[in-house]
Amino acid sequence: MQAITLLGSTGSIGTQTLDLVAQYPERFRVVGLTSYSNVTLLAEQVRRFRPQIVAIGREELLPELRSLLTGMRPLPELVAGTEGLCQVAAHPAAQRVVTGIVGCAGLLPTLAAIRAGKDIALANKETLVAGGPVVLPLVREYGVKLIPVDSEHSAIFQCLQGVPPGSLRRIWLTASGGAFRDWPVEKLNQATLADALKHPNWVMGRKITIDSATLMNKGLEVIEAHWLFGLDYDRIEVLIHPQSIVHSLIELADTSVLAQLGWPDMHLPILYGLSWPERLATPWDPLDLVKLGSLTFKAPDHRKYPCLQLAYAAGQAGGTLPAVLNAANEAAVALFLQERIRFLDIPRLLEQVCERHQVIPAPSLEDILEVDAWARQQVELLAQQAPAQVLA
Ligand code: NAD
Ligand code: MG
């Protein structure tokens, strides 16, 4: 029986993780749950999965959570705010922590979990993108495992099982191409929020769906892969694969290429993140290559997806630049989700904020949190003060 804590239990990753806990009650037990603001769903999850500790991100919602749980016996410990999230992440009863929070808001709870010696099943890519320079040394210091849940990184991690050290040459991250994969680049200035939210293959949270449309999701995944697998950026490639069946590939020293295939369904990488190094039997439909007929691949169009190159450049520059790019992207995507900027403003804003930043080469946690806040302010300022320039 594995005791797990789930950060961001009310989101897309969170609810799918709980599907698996329900499906394998003899394997997994929930110790802690957290949500930012969805008290109603969180309370339902608490009644069903009976964790020992629960956190709500927005402190002012704690009384509502408490009243929704009236009569529950035993009542779990209820905590709130960033401190509460960190308390849940570090709870002594859990062995593995699934990080399903979206954005850099996951950084402090993830660090708390690592310091408490938990293995991390990592979905929250923004935490590694922004916090890589502080997360990785801590992972080594506390001897914990980082198990990727993001489907591409899970694929690479799966392919790497049994590969002797020193024989990995390159990795290939596949990308569906997002909502605009079949749009000509000239038409992107007409892209609306509704268009961008229509992902062709995956059902996910709103932020990552927009990131898939800009391909920033793949850019963030390139940086995530750099930290997870310790590879230089010239050994991380991106390949457009519209069917999302090949989840990623690795190339070995002898030119052999290994890939992991599966339906576009996050349950599988989440399950492997929970069960690794074991493989659990599932009742799911097996992959049917005959039914699929053909799988296709092409190089990404950098004119159409400027965010991908911004991410490579930020990753190569290193230090605080990935944290700045990530925070600016979170802020720009939030503005786009509120329909306050247009689709093509996203890469423009990111470029402007990155240009204004003076990179700190070996940042501390404080540096990362500071530049994160600075980059968000810059996006807000640029969007407010120079709309004509920004939104031209
Ligand atoms: P989501 O928006 O559906 O859920 C996010 C969760 O985080 C919710 O439970 C929410 O309450 C919580 N949260 C949001 N803001 C918070 C804050 N400021 N503080 C604390 N908690 C907060 O997002 P998602 O699609 O599940 O994505 C979660 C993470 O997993 C992201 O980093 C994403 O890139 C990654 N990921 C998601 C998928 C997917 O299929 N959804 C696939 C691969 C990777
Ligand atoms: Mg992914």
Side-chain angles (χ1 to χ4, degrees):
M1 176 70 88
Q2 161 130 265
I4 64 164
T5 277
L6 176 49
L7 306 177
S9 64
T10 52
S12 164
I13 291 290
T15 51
Q16 294 181 86
T17 305
L18 289 176
D19 291 346
L20 294 165
V21 173
Q23 206 170 322
Y24 296 90
E26 71 297 347
R27 296 293 313 228
F28 308 119
R29 176 171 74 83
V30 172
V31 167
L33 295 175
T34 80
S35 175
Y36 182 60
S37 57
N38 191 344
V39 264
T40 316
L41 179 56
L42 182 62
E44 276 172 34
Q45 294 176 339
V46 171
R47 286 185 183 275
R48 180 155 180 219
F49 292 95
R50 313 193 72 81
Q52 289 165 249
I53 185 166
V54 181
I56 184 82
R58 281 180 52 190
E59 301 209 40
E60 65 275 23
L61 295 173
L62 187 59
E64 192 179 339
L65 179 64
R66 204 176 287 286
S67 92
L68 285 168
L69 294 173
T70 309
M72 187 178 168
R73 292 285 176 278
L75 189 67
E77 186 181 349
L78 303 180
V79 292
T82 304
E83 213 171 290
L85 296 171
C86 292
Q87 239 177 297
V88 174
H91 194 280
Q95 290 137 9
R96 202 167 284 191
V97 175
V98 180
T99 62
I101 290 177
V102 60
C104 197
L107 178 57
L108 293 177
T110 304
L111 294 177
I114 297 170
R115 288 198 182 98
K118 314 295 176 195
D119 290 333
I120 307 291
L122 185 121
N124 178 211
K125 66 192 82 183
E126 295 90 348
T127 280
L128 263 196
V129 169
V134 297
V135 172
L136 267 289
L138 271 191
V139 164
R140 276 181 226 116
E141 184 182 339
Y142 286 87
V144 302
K145 295 266 181 300
L146 266 189
I147 309 152
V149 166
D150 208 350
S151 58
E152 297 76 4
H153 306 73
S154 172
I156 290 163
F157 183 66
Q158 293 181 54
C159 292
L160 283 171
Q161 304 296 308
V163 168
S167 41
L168 178 64
R169 186 183 279 172
R170 275 196 293 183
I171 62 173
W172 298 86
L173 299 172
T174 54
S176 68
F180 301 123
R181 69 172 185 206
D182 300 323
W183 285 42
V185 60
E186 297 73 28
K187 212 183 131 191
L188 284 182
N189 58 2
Q190 296 163 31
T192 66
L193 175 59
D195 294 327
L197 284 172
K198 279 184 214 134
H199 197 286
N201 301 346
W202 299 91
V203 182
M204 310 181 285
R206 283 156 67 88
K207 191 252 175 191
I208 185 175
T209 304
I210 302 304
D211 285 346
S212 299
T214 59
L215 233 68
M216 179 51 89
N217 183 48
K218 212 50 52 181
L220 298 175
E221 289 182 358
V222 165
I223 302 173
E224 183 187 10
H226 163 79
W227 291 113
L228 281 172
F229 307 115
L231 292 172
D232 289 340
Y233 287 92
D234 58 358
R235 295 166 64 195
I236 306 172
E237 309 276 354
V238 170
L239 196 55
I240 301 287
H241 167 45
Q243 298 85 10
S244 298
I245 296 295
V246 175
H247 295 308
S248 278
L249 315 92
I250 66 172
E251 182 185 313
L252 301 178
D254 56 5
T255 73
S256 185
V257 172
L258 310 185
Q260 186 263 335
L261 283 69
W263 298 115
D265 184 335
M266 285 305 294
H267 287 97
L268 179 54
I270 297 171
L271 181 63
Y272 194 61
L274 295 177
S275 71
W276 177 86
E278 284 182 59
R279 291 271 183 188
L280 300 187
T282 76
W284 305 333
D285 285 346
L287 187 65
D288 186 343
L289 287 174
V290 173
K291 190 166 144 197
L292 285 163
S294 63
L295 299 174
T296 57
F297 304 91
K298 62 182 178 183
D301 174 349
H302 289 292
R303 226 165 37 103
K304 187 166 167 183
Y305 300 118
C307 286
L308 185 57
Q309 281 194 324
L310 282 174
Y312 269 104
Q316 259 148 356
T320 40
L321 199 53
V324 165
L325 179 70
N326 173 68
N329 182 57
E330 287 189 36
V333 170
L335 290 178
F336 179 68
L337 285 169
Q338 296 161 30
E339 300 193 283
R340 284 177 52 201
I341 60 168
R342 293 180 316 181
F343 185 70
L344 291 181
D345 295 327
I346 299 173
R348 281 187 203 129
L349 283 166
L350 302 190
E351 209 174 336
Q352 291 183 33
V353 175
C354 287
E355 265 170 21
R356 290 176 175 202
H357 178 62
Q358 185 77 39
V359 177
I360 305 170
S364 65
L365 176 60
E366 290 67 34
D367 294 330
I368 289 168
L369 297 175
E370 210 167 287
V371 303
D372 175 282
W374 173 84
R376 288 168 202 264
Q377 278 167 4
Q378 292 299 307
V379 168
E380 195 54 51
L381 282 178
L382 284 165
Q384 271 174 17
Q385 290 177 356
Q389 194 190 335
V390 175
L391 308 174

